[in-house]
Amino acid sequence: NEKFAGKIDAVADAVDNVTRMVKLRIRLQNPGHQFKAGMFAQVSFGVKEGENISVSKTSLITVQGNTYVFVKTGAREFVRRTITTGMQIGDRIIVFSGLAPGEEIASQGLMQLKGLSFGY
């Protein structure tokens, strides 16, 4: 669970048909000689959440081109809120506007909330 920064030196010419992976050669510091040739790693390519809020992609509802989340306002109360989203990083979506830090949103039961909210 450690993170290391490096630079891509080379990308293989083909995707492996079985694994659907592409081999990369990444140059990074290796002072303790813990990295060995042929090792596997999960790699991110410079995309960061930064200071932005991010939410699970399963927490979003899109209707007629607008993206919504349901913000918790009480023990069993939620209100629909329009948000502006950005890039997806893994299973999370960056939110540029519409949410404040610390606000709780629904991540389950969205179809029921959508039906109640939009009158379906």
Side-chain angles (χ1 to χ4, degrees):
N1 291 329
E2 295 180 66
K3 294 182 181 182
F4 302 91
K7 295 195 182 230
I8 297 174
D9 273 351
V11 179
D13 293 335
V15 177
D16 185 297
N17 289 331
V18 176
T19 63
R20 306 299 302 157
M21 292 185 196
V22 175
K23 287 187 179 181
L24 301 175
R25 183 172 56 231
I26 300 175
R27 183 183 306 254
L28 51 89
Q29 298 295 316
N30 192 15
H33 305 288
Q34 61 191 18
F35 303 113
K36 310 290 185 227
M39 291 179 94
F40 287 87
Q42 183 174 359
V43 180
S44 298
F45 294 100
V47 179
K48 297 180 181 176
E49 292 177 34
E51 297 298 316
N52 296 306
I53 297 171
S54 70
V55 298
S56 170
K57 67 181 179 182
T58 60
S59 298
L60 304 177
I61 294 288
T62 302
V63 177
Q64 296 179 344
N66 294 316
T67 305
Y68 303 96
V69 293
F70 291 95
V71 179
K72 187 174 185 177
T73 58
R76 296 176 56 106
E77 298 176 16
F78 293 85
V79 63
R80 181 183 74 209
R81 175 106 41 96
T82 305
I83 61 171
T84 304
T85 59
M87 295 181 65
Q88 180 172 334
I89 302 172
D91 68 342
R92 309 217 28 103
I93 306 286
I94 292 177
V95 177
F96 291 125
S97 66
L99 277 179
E103 286 187 303
E104 293 183 56
I105 61 172
S107 60
Q108 296 178 353
L110 296 180
M111 297 315 288
Q112 290 87 350
L113 289 170
K114 178 183 176 183
L116 292 170
S117 174
F118 286 97
Y120 295 143

